[in-house]
């Protein structure tokens, strides 16, 4: 059945073409498996709570009849502004508008949120652009430049909120820098979600072609209920496609965790157990309560434009397993720098079991893709990453280090995690306090950081290793727990290019070079793995072993081996000394960058003028072997092997392929995104 929605209808009808509903929620109340909800262009200021699930063979489809023209907003327009002083205006908003959830009395909070950043879940938007909340009225009257922001000029557009308990009103003071807020479009977000089931298990929904904006979402750590502006809320089989998703206070799309009332921000609220322990508890409780391949995950997020969210473009823990995230444009995430903590990125996912990230373009984020815990069977392939880093060198001080990121961060996972045929152009390409990763056929113009560090809880007096789970291959069932030994890494057929080190990056390296979490190494190449053993040396230590002494047991805690082959290094990028076939070009000066032309992106480099004639080996699942701890191969989610015979564009490689992500020098000249 087709169900029609048109917000411009004179009055709401019965959902037929001639008498459409006025709101999407009216359609969501009655839509059943096999139905399609067709939404006409217009702005829909509502929370859509899908009531019924589809089925694998009969999805429920919500479709904007014109791509991007049906706009779901979590905000309302405010037109009752009164002059207060100078450029500052004040609005009084009856609290009845907010119902049971007032974003202007609700602070952003949760596990791993840095509490010194005081912010409400509410926002004020001037002509669609988010203004800057401050903590006292004086900072609205006399605003100052906020140096951490990527857009410092706009940081003087400030606002402050307080409650008038006598009148039961929310007061918002805002400095519009000379603009008349009653003549401009000024909105405030009033709803926590835009398209998101209130109950679990509403699966097999398709959301296609919508613009979704401006929701008052809460911080979404892995140890709490993870909400987003859009998301499936602990179900299976959603498709979110061809949507523009922006301006969520915290997260745009959530593929995340359901609420466990006994373990919801327990670290923050209960204090007695550290967050890493409560996270382990969360995982095992979820397993007992139905977290399986049959019930959860297998979502698809594709061809979406996701931008200008405060915490993440896409977030998830447990609920995103077996998903595909492809062909998305994810950019300008956490650029305001008004939120801080350990859950920020273009994509931040825990337990990305058998998740495929392919052909995404991720740039100008605090960090690009963060895979935390249980990146097992995860594949990151054919993506373009750039400008995921500190925006301005003058920000390079101890107060701004939380703004430094990287293209890919893989944390305390046992793998197998496969990173292949990507272009990594940010100052830091990969942060690697982890093991069980294969890095194959990438173009890498940034350094590796946190190699050999960053896996403990960082106490002063005690050993505090983080034990993280690994799983039955291609399943969710936990197979064991182990700390990170480091190593178990593979680097094959990559191109490494040392870019000039920005002064700000060098300054941060000097400040943080002894940091147990991340030393911000500025040198590109495999060199941080210097001294790691070969497999042969590592395995020989166990030959004939049958002893039980303490010294003998040390064998089980050595760093794991590293494998290399077919890599090429330019501009002083450094290989490890055991890499026997490494090619170092010290003769030519290589330039590399990326240029946007009319919305398309092209690589600018001369590296393919100097690629040496070398016969790289064809890499396959068999070449890469198994990740040490889970004893799982680097293979497809269905268990079939991979042969790396296709490049960044899907072109076929030669029998002896070129290093890097392109099958030929000509391919590198094509439009990347």
């Amino acid at each position: 059945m087709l169900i029609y929605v048109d917000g411009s209808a004179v009055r709401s009808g019965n959902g037929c073409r001639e008498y459409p509903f006025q709101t999407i929620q009216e359609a969501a109340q009655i839509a059943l498996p096999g139905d399609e909800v067709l939404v006409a262009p217009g702005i829909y200021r509502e929370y859509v709570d899908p009531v019924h699930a589809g089925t694998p063979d009969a999805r429920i489809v919500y479709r904007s009849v014109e791509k991007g023209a049906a706009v779901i907003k979590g905000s309302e327009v405010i037109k009752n502004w009164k002059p207060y002083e100078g450029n500052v205006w004040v609005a009084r908003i009856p609290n009845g508008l907010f119902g049971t959830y007032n974003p202007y009395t609700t602070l952003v909070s949760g596990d791993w949120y840095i509490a010194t950043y005081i912010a409400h879940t509410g926002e004020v938007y001037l002509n669609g652009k988010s203004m800057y909340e401050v903590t006292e009225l004086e900072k609205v009257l006399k605003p100052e430049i906020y140096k951490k922001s990527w857009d410092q000029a706009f940081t003087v557009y400030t606002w402050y909120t307080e409650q008038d308990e006598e009148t039961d009103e929310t007061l918002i003071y805002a400095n519009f820098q000379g603009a008349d807020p009653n003549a401009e479009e000024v909105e405030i977000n009033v709803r926590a979600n835009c398209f998101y089931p209130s109950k679990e298990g509403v699966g097999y929904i398709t959301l296609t072609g919508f613009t979704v904006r401006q929701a008052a979402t809460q911080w979404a750590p892995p140890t709490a209920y993870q909400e987003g502006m859009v998301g499936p809320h602990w179900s299976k089989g959603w498709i979110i496609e061809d949507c523009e998703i922006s301006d969520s206070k915290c997260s745009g799309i959530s593929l995340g965790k359901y609420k466990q009332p006994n373990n919801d921000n327990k670290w923050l609220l209960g204090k007695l157990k550290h967050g890493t322990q409560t996270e382990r508890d969360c995982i095992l409780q979820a397993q007992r309560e139905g977290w399986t391949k049959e019930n959860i995950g297998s979502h698809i997020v594709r061809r979406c434009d996701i931008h200008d969210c405060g915490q993440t473009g896409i977030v998830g823990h447990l609920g995103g397993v077996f998903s595909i995230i492809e062909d998305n444009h994810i950019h300008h995430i956490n650029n305001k720098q008004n939120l801080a903590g350990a859950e920020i990125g273009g994509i931040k996912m825990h337990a990305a079991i058998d998740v495929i990230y392919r052909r995404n373009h991720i740039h100008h984020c605090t960090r690009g893709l963060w895979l935390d815990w249980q990146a097992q069977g995860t594949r990151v392939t054919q993506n373009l990453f750039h400008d995921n880093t500190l925006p301005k060198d003058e920000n390079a001080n101890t107060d701004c280090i939380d703004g430094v990121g990287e293209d890919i961060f893989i944390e305390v996972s046992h793998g197998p995690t496969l990173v292949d045929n990507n272009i990594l152009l940010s100052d830091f390409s990969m942060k690697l306090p982890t093991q069980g990763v294969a890095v194959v056929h990438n173009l890498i113009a940034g350094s590796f950081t946190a190699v050999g560090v960053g896996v403990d809880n960082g106490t002063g007096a005690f050993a505090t290793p983080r034990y993280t789970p690994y799983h039955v291959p291609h399943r969710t069932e936990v197979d064991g727990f182990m700390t990170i030994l480091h190593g178990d890494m593979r680097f094959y057929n990559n191109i490494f290019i040392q870019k000039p080190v920005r002064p700000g990056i060098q300054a941060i390296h000097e400040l943080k070079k002894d940091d147990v979490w991340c030393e911000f190494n500025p040198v590109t190449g495999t060199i941080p793995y210097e001294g790691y053993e070969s497999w042969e040396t590592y395995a020989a230590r166990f030959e004939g072993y049958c002893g039980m002494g303490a010294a003998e047991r040390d064998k089980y805690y050595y760093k794991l081996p590293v494998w290399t082959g077919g890599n090429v290094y330019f501009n002083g990028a450094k290989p490890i000394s055991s890499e026997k076939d490494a090619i170092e070009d010290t003769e030519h000066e290589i330039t590399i960058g990326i240029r946007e032309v009319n919305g398309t992106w092209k690589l600018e480099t001369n590296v393919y003028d100097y690629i040496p004639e070398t016969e790289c080996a064809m890499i396959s699942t068999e070449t890469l072997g198994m990740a040490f701890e889970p004893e799982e191969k680097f293979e497809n989610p269905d268990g079939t092997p991979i042969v790396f015979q296709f490049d960044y564009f899907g072109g076929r490689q030669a029998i002896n392929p070129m290093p890097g992500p392109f099958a030929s020098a000509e391919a590198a000249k094509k439009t990347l995104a």
Side-chain angles (χ1 to χ4, degrees):
M1 182 174 72
L2 298 178
I3 304 172
Y4 294 86
V5 178
D6 188 344
S8 65
V10 174
R11 60 170 56 90
S12 197
N14 61 7
C16 70
R17 182 191 294 269
E18 295 78 13
Y19 301 102
F21 290 129
Q22 282 184 324
T23 68
I24 305 170
Q25 183 57 38
E26 290 173 284
Q29 293 290 132
I30 66 168
L32 295 173
D35 289 348
E36 184 168 358
V37 177
L38 299 173
V39 183
I43 295 178
Y44 297 83
R45 297 186 186 275
E46 57 176 305
Y47 163 45
V48 182
D49 178 6
V51 174
H52 303 291
T55 68
D57 299 324
R59 310 178 65 81
I60 300 177
V61 178
Y62 293 79
R63 185 184 305 277
S64 171
V65 297
E66 181 181 330
K67 182 181 175 181
V71 183
I72 306 173
K73 285 192 170 185
S75 62
E76 298 289 344
V77 175
I78 302 299
K79 288 293 185 184
N80 65 338
W81 295 95
K82 305 294 184 185
Y84 181 75
E85 181 179 323
N87 289 327
V88 178
W89 299 65
V90 62
R92 287 181 167 269
I93 301 152
N95 284 335
L97 173 68
F98 305 114
T100 59
Y101 175 68
N102 186 339
Y104 304 91
T105 59
T106 305
L107 291 176
V108 176
S109 66
D111 289 350
W112 283 283
Y113 178 70
I114 296 178
T116 54
Y117 286 70
I118 307 300
H120 290 89
T121 58
E123 287 279 25
V124 178
Y125 305 91
L126 173 61
N127 296 324
K129 191 168 183 178
S130 175
M131 297 173 64
Y132 285 73
E133 183 180 7
V134 291
T135 55
E136 55 189 74
L137 180 57
E138 183 66 17
K139 293 180 179 179
V140 180
L141 296 167
K142 297 178 181 178
E144 298 178 351
I145 295 288
Y146 181 54
K147 291 185 177 180
K148 291 187 181 183
S149 172
W150 291 50
D151 182 8
Q152 294 182 11
F154 198 71
T155 62
V156 295
Y157 288 77
T158 56
W159 64 273
Y160 167 74
T161 187
E162 63 184 15
Q163 293 293 303
D164 187 331
E165 295 183 0
E166 289 188 5
T167 61
D168 193 26
E169 292 176 314
T170 293
L171 276 64
I172 298 177
Y173 302 86
N175 191 325
F176 295 103
Q177 296 297 327
D180 180 349
N182 295 316
E184 309 293 334
E185 182 172 71
V186 177
E187 299 160 287
I188 63 169
N189 56 7
V190 301
R191 288 174 284 277
N193 317 104
C194 288
F195 192 97
Y196 195 91
S198 60
K199 63 183 180 181
E200 301 161 17
V202 183
Y204 300 102
I205 300 286
T206 295
L207 182 73
T208 182
F210 286 84
T211 297
V212 188
R213 303 190 66 208
Q214 299 173 340
T217 48
Q218 183 56 279
W219 186 254
T223 48
Y225 169 50
Q226 287 185 307
E227 67 175 13
M229 190 160 59
V230 176
H233 191 180
W234 202 248
S235 65
K236 186 172 181 180
W238 273 45
I239 298 174
I240 303 168
E241 63 183 10
D242 298 310
C243 292
E244 181 181 0
I245 293 172
S246 71
D247 295 281
S248 174
K249 178 69 180 198
C250 290
S251 294
I253 296 174
S254 172
L255 305 179
K257 191 175 104 29
Y258 68 113
K259 187 170 184 177
Q260 297 172 335
N262 62 306
N263 196 359
D264 193 58
N265 287 313
K266 190 173 183 178
W267 181 26
L268 172 70
L269 301 175
K271 309 298 184 187
L272 297 179
K273 277 190 176 182
H274 190 273
T276 54
Q277 179 63 20
T278 63
E279 187 168 344
R280 285 184 286 264
D281 292 348
C282 283
I283 293 163
L284 294 175
Q285 180 176 340
Q287 185 173 290
R288 295 193 302 272
E289 294 177 347
W291 178 50
T292 67
K293 188 173 186 175
E294 291 71 30
N295 296 331
I296 301 298
S298 298
H299 307 299
I300 298 173
V301 180
R302 62 191 176 201
R303 301 187 301 273
C304 291
D305 181 7
I306 305 169
H307 60 94
D308 290 290
C309 299
Q311 179 190 339
T312 61
I314 302 174
V315 75
H317 180 212
L318 306 176
V321 290
F322 315 112
S323 293
I324 298 173
I325 298 175
E326 62 183 1
D327 299 304
N328 300 289
H329 185 197
I330 302 174
H331 55 105
H332 297 93
I333 301 297
N334 191 237
N335 284 185
K336 289 179 70 177
Q337 289 278 288
N338 61 330
L339 304 179
E343 307 302 326
I344 285 172
I347 302 174
K348 173 65 195 287
M349 287 185 69
H350 289 72
I353 298 172
D354 282 1
V355 176
I356 298 174
Y357 304 86
R358 65 187 174 205
R359 300 187 302 270
N360 300 289
H361 181 196
I362 303 178
H363 64 98
H364 290 94
C365 300
T366 293
R367 59 171 38 97
L369 169 63
W370 188 350
L371 301 173
D372 202 352
W373 294 46
Q374 305 148 274
Q376 182 169 333
T378 310
R379 187 175 184 185
V380 182
T381 183
Q382 299 172 305
N383 301 282
L384 172 61
F385 295 89
H386 61 93
D387 294 291
N388 300 303
T389 187
L390 187 74
K392 297 178 185 295
D393 281 340
E394 58 265 29
N395 285 2
N397 57 64
T398 53
D399 292 330
C400 296
I401 284 173
D402 54 277
V404 182
E406 59 286 311
D407 288 329
I408 301 173
F409 181 6
I410 307 171
E411 185 174 9
V412 292
S413 175
H414 302 283
T417 309
L418 178 57
V419 179
D420 70 282
N421 287 294
N422 300 284
I423 302 170
L424 308 170
L425 301 181
S426 297
D427 297 299
F428 302 123
S429 287
M430 298 181 72
K431 188 172 183 178
L432 295 170
T434 194
Q435 64 188 51
V437 180
V439 181
V440 182
H441 277 292
N442 300 281
L443 176 58
I444 298 171
S447 62
F448 297 154
T449 67
V451 171
V453 299
V455 302
D456 294 338
N457 269 334
T459 62
F462 303 99
T464 54
R466 285 190 283 176
Y467 283 82
T468 58
Y470 52 93
H471 300 260
V472 174
H474 311 299
R475 299 286 305 175
T476 59
E477 290 82 1
V478 174
D479 212 19
F481 288 84
M482 185 56 184
T483 188
I484 301 300
L485 300 177
H486 302 287
D488 195 22
M489 307 291 286
R490 297 130 178 96
F491 300 96
Y492 288 110
N493 298 356
N494 301 287
I495 298 173
F496 292 95
I497 302 172
Q498 177 73 59
K499 295 190 299 183
V501 179
R502 289 165 51 187
I505 299 302
Q506 185 62 43
I508 288 174
H509 169 61
E510 294 301 322
L511 285 167
K512 304 291 284 184
K513 60 186 177 184
D514 298 322
D515 195 315
V516 297
W517 293 98
C518 181
E519 82 302 340
F520 293 108
N521 159 55
V523 181
T524 299
T526 56
I527 190 64
Y529 288 92
E530 182 65 30
Y532 284 68
E533 296 174 339
S534 68
W535 170 252
E536 292 74 18
T537 302
Y538 180 85
R541 189 179 291 111
F542 295 87
E543 292 178 2
Y545 166 68
C546 59
M548 295 294 288
E552 291 294 308
R553 290 174 180 163
D554 288 346
K555 292 176 170 41
Y556 294 98
Y557 296 92
Y558 278 78
K559 291 178 179 178
L560 297 168
V562 170
W563 292 260
T564 60
N567 300 304
V568 182
Y569 299 80
F570 291 95
N571 287 5
K574 298 291 185 184
I576 55 176
S577 58
S578 60
E579 190 171 346
K580 302 305 181 187
D581 66 347
I583 296 176
E584 294 182 76
D585 184 323
T586 59
E587 179 182 354
H588 304 103
E589 182 178 346
I590 302 302
T591 58
I592 187 163
I594 192 164
R595 179 167 57 100
E596 181 183 11
V597 180
N598 298 324
T600 64
W601 297 80
K602 289 197 171 184
L603 189 66
E604 291 190 322
T605 184
N606 63 345
V607 70
Y608 287 94
D609 296 336
Y610 304 111
I611 289 288
E613 293 186 9
T614 178
E615 292 190 350
C616 290
M618 181 70 74
I619 305 301
S620 68
T621 291
E622 293 308 308
T623 310
L624 298 176
M626 293 191 300
F628 180 83
E629 212 63 64
E631 300 179 353
E632 179 180 343
K633 293 182 177 181
F634 294 81
E635 60 191 9
N636 288 311
D638 63 1
T640 58
I642 300 169
V643 177
F644 294 90
Q645 57 187 337
F646 299 102
D647 75 351
Y648 177 89
F649 291 110
R652 185 173 287 273
Q653 294 274 17
I655 297 299
N656 293 111
M658 288 178 59
F662 302 116
S664 68
E666 286 302 310
K669 299 177 183 178
K670 296 180 181 179
T671 298
L672 302 179

